[in-house]
Amino acid sequence: MEKTPRIKTILTEKPLNRDICVQGWLKSKRDSKGLSFLDLTDGSSLSGLQVIAPETLANYHTDVSRLSTGCAIAARGQLVASPAKGQEVELHAREIIVYGWAPPESYPLQKKRHSFEFLRSVAHLRGRTNSLGAVARVRSRLSWAIQQFFQQRGFFQIHTPVITTSDCEGAGEMFTVTSLDLQQLPLANGAVDFSRDFFGRPASLTVSGQLEAEAYALALGNVYTFGPTFRAENSNTSRHLAEFWMLEPEMAFCDLEGDMDLAEELLKFLIADCLANCAEELELFSRFIDKDLPARLDNVLRHDFVRLSYTDAVKELEQSGREFTFPVAWGIDLQSEHERYLAETLFQRPVIVIDYPKTIKPFYMRVNDDNKTVAAMDILFPGIGEIIGGSQREERLEVLSARMEEAGIDLASYQWYLDLRRYGTVPHAGFGLGFERMIQFATGMANIRDVIAFPRTPGSTAM
Ligand code: 4AD
Ligand code: MG
């Protein structure tokens, strides 16, 4: 097929008075005397290209007059300066080819605004709307910005496995992967005999690539893994997905402070990159989704993040005079209402809470000298709550094995992880950034189901 320029390039470079061909989908059509105005998009930018189709076209009455929202076409003609308001250039068509019709009586998307709930029911088509198309472009940009950030700093990307035999977070929220016939499970001593399963032992989808990333951090120094992760947690909220993407850097010869510094630098880098490269999309979000978006993005860039200990955070919450649904006391896990009070009400900027009680955090976090807390850090964002969770890792073999035993973990299957402490162990640290939560913050989108193409949540696979 003929290679045609993208509409974004045409709108930027404005190759006037030259013959060009564009291909895309019709956003809308308006008929006037002797001609039709076609608003054409090819997904490359929010703004479409206005195409003017005169009734002298050979197929005007047979094809062009029947076009409707969603039809796929090619338009060939000259690009000229537009006399009308609203666009700088327009294409005067000499030829229009219709690739695909979209009968208006059944095509679900119309020119009007649809609710996000409705759009979720047509997840396979919603990328064609202004808002979901813009989200997809921001997502792609942020993904690229992550790669740039780490590659510029000499980190190596590791592709950690999706199928795993370890439960990194120890929360038991794993999806089992099996090739056994669920109707006829092989039993041994009354339990499923996994020795006859595909891998010869129980396996699941990963909840985090961290443990494997640690192995490579202790070989290559600074690494990151970025990919899909899975959690079978029954959380039907606007911040949880069963399948989500996580970015996990891991650094050898690094402590909690270095970890926090990198995380803060990364978050600022991503927001600055988005502001510089997704201006058109951000303007749409500020206009239709969240008018405070520019101020909230700017606020992250302008301030140092607040850093305070869990113990001090609990004091702040106790002294707040607030009635929380979940009462506050030292030792509790912070709930979303607590996190939001800290980031939105009290400090009104990102907050890093460190040194959580060891009883509420996973086995791999480094035990502090007080023997009560671990070198953990959660980054709380206004409007989002926890966007990053990380820690310095326990690098001392005896302390780590003791904690794993305490947590009831079967040490036999984690010998490889303990080997990392047996042989050439070093202080190391890392964190996980929830990619969808990052996109939510950057776009102002209220529901996490609307920042991933095909959301997977309890009871729903979208398609
Ligand atoms: O705090 P989490 O559970 O940390 C880990 O998994 C560590 N192994 C990361 C590490 O140190 N390498 O998850 C990290 C982040 C959270 O802060 C949150 O942003 C996101 O992942 N996240 C989710 N995002 C969407 N849906 C879910 N169900 C999520 N669970 C966690
Ligand atoms: Mg966490």
Side-chain angles (χ1 to χ4, degrees):
M1 262 181 104
E2 185 180 344
K3 254 187 130 37
T4 59
R6 301 280 277 157
I7 287 177
K8 184 183 173 108
T9 313
I10 293 172
L11 295 177
T12 323
E13 295 176 2
K14 305 183 193 79
L16 288 180
N17 307 318
R18 250 189 281 156
D19 229 32
I20 53 171
C21 181
V22 291
Q23 298 168 314
W25 296 266
L26 213 60
K27 282 210 231 186
S28 64
K29 175 172 75 93
R30 187 163 57 82
D31 296 324
S32 183
K33 214 170 150 288
L35 49 85
S36 295
F37 296 96
L38 313 179
D39 185 7
L40 195 66
T41 179
D42 63 0
S44 62
S45 67
L46 183 64
S47 316
L49 179 65
Q50 168 152 292
V51 176
I52 296 185
E55 88 187 333
T56 48
L57 290 175
N59 60 347
Y60 185 84
H61 295 288
T62 47
D63 289 347
V64 178
S65 65
R66 288 169 52 216
L67 288 174
S68 56
T69 298
C71 291
I73 65 166
R76 185 187 304 283
Q78 282 232 327
L79 193 75
V80 300
S82 174
K85 275 226 304 253
Q87 69 267 329
E88 282 184 61
V89 292
E90 60 192 28
L91 187 85
H92 286 192
R94 266 189 301 104
E95 186 190 353
I96 298 233
I97 299 167
V98 182
Y99 291 120
W101 297 97
E105 58 285 0
S106 57
Y107 186 57
L109 304 177
Q110 296 306 324
K111 193 177 151 44
K112 65 170 185 139
R113 278 178 80 184
H114 296 287
S115 73
F116 289 122
E117 287 76 15
F118 168 74
L119 291 177
R120 268 170 237 147
S121 73
V122 285
H124 57 300
L125 295 171
R126 67 179 181 165
R128 297 183 186 184
T129 63
N130 282 345
S131 47
L132 274 285
V135 168
R137 284 187 296 273
V138 168
R139 185 175 173 117
S140 168
R141 179 70 213 186
L142 282 173
S143 172
W144 167 235
I146 282 174
Q147 296 291 351
Q148 272 187 313
F149 179 87
F150 287 104
Q151 294 289 331
Q152 282 168 3
R153 285 161 183 73
F155 283 63
F156 298 99
Q157 184 177 19
I158 307 298
H159 297 124
T160 51
V162 166
I163 299 177
T164 172
T165 54
S166 37
D167 179 1
C168 173
E169 295 307 294
E173 293 160 338
M174 318 271 286
F175 288 100
T176 300
V177 175
T178 181
S179 60
L180 292 176
D181 179 354
L182 294 183
Q183 307 301 331
Q184 267 184 314
L185 290 171
L187 297 179
N189 306 323
V192 176
D193 182 4
F194 281 103
S195 70
R196 291 170 59 189
D197 200 353
F198 192 89
F199 298 105
R201 55 196 285 205
S204 11
L205 295 177
T206 186
V207 296
S208 159
Q210 175 197 319
L211 303 187
E212 293 89 350
E214 280 185 56
Y216 269 78
L218 269 58
L220 304 192
N222 292 338
V223 301
Y224 62 107
T225 176
F226 181 30
T229 48
F230 306 85
R231 297 205 182 168
E233 62 185 319
N234 202 0
S235 300
N236 240 319
T237 78
S238 59
R239 309 265 178 275
H240 288 89
L241 290 165
E243 173 174 338
F244 63 100
W245 278 59
M246 194 167 17
L247 161 74
E248 298 181 272
E250 191 70 34
M251 291 165 288
F253 311 104
C254 182
D255 58 13
L256 190 65
E257 199 180 323
D259 202 32
M260 289 192 279
D261 291 345
L262 184 82
E264 181 166 346
E265 191 185 344
L266 169 72
L267 292 168
K268 287 179 169 163
F269 178 94
L270 295 181
I271 286 166
D273 183 275
C274 213
L275 285 166
N277 295 290
C278 302
E280 201 186 28
E281 284 77 15
L282 294 191
E283 200 210 302
L284 175 87
F285 298 130
S286 336
R287 211 144 37 101
F288 294 112
I289 308 290
D290 175 3
K291 67 172 171 32
D292 298 329
L293 181 64
R296 286 202 294 127
L297 297 181
D298 189 53
N299 184 44
V300 173
L301 291 184
R302 266 191 302 118
H303 297 290
D304 288 343
F305 295 3
V306 175
R307 299 181 182 193
L308 86 166
S309 70
Y310 168 90
T311 303
D312 286 341
V314 166
K315 277 190 200 136
E316 293 290 358
L317 290 163
E318 283 171 340
Q319 288 161 12
S320 68
R322 290 272 175 122
E323 286 262 339
F324 294 108
T325 318
F326 294 89
V328 182
W330 200 96
I332 63 148
D333 205 356
L334 297 185
Q335 302 293 320
S336 150
E337 56 175 341
H338 308 134
E339 297 176 342
R340 296 181 70 156
Y341 170 79
L342 294 170
E344 283 162 34
T345 312
L346 184 61
F347 296 111
Q348 302 180 6
R349 56 181 149 135
V351 177
I352 314 185
V353 180
I354 62 169
D355 298 336
Y356 283 75
K358 70 174 180 182
T359 47
I360 58 171
K361 289 291 187 189
F363 66 88
Y364 54 73
M365 295 189 176
R366 191 178 197 282
V367 179
N368 287 325
D369 291 344
D370 61 13
N371 203 26
K372 281 190 344 210
T373 60
V374 286
M377 64 130 175
D378 277 6
I379 303 192
L380 316 178
F381 258 35
I384 299 289
E386 180 191 336
I387 196 164
I388 277 183
S391 72
Q392 186 172 337
R393 318 306 188 190
E394 185 54 76
E395 85 283 14
R396 297 162 295 186
L397 179 63
E398 294 71 30
V399 184
L400 181 61
S401 346
R403 270 210 90 200
M404 291 174 81
E405 263 168 15
E406 241 172 65
I409 293 166
D410 171 26
L411 290 191
S413 44
Y414 287 84
Q415 284 307 316
W416 69 270
Y417 189 67
L418 293 170
D419 267 358
L420 301 172
R421 278 72 182 169
R422 273 185 200 109
Y423 311 121
T425 189
V426 300
H428 61 290
F431 61 83
L433 166 68
F435 189 47
E436 283 75 19
R437 293 191 188 172
M438 181 68 217
I439 303 167
Q440 278 191 281
F441 187 77
T443 58
M445 294 295 283
N447 197 313
I448 198 165
R449 294 168 176 82
D450 301 326
V451 298
I452 188 164
F454 301 106
R456 272 79 173 99
T457 50
S460 164
T461 54
M463 284 175 26

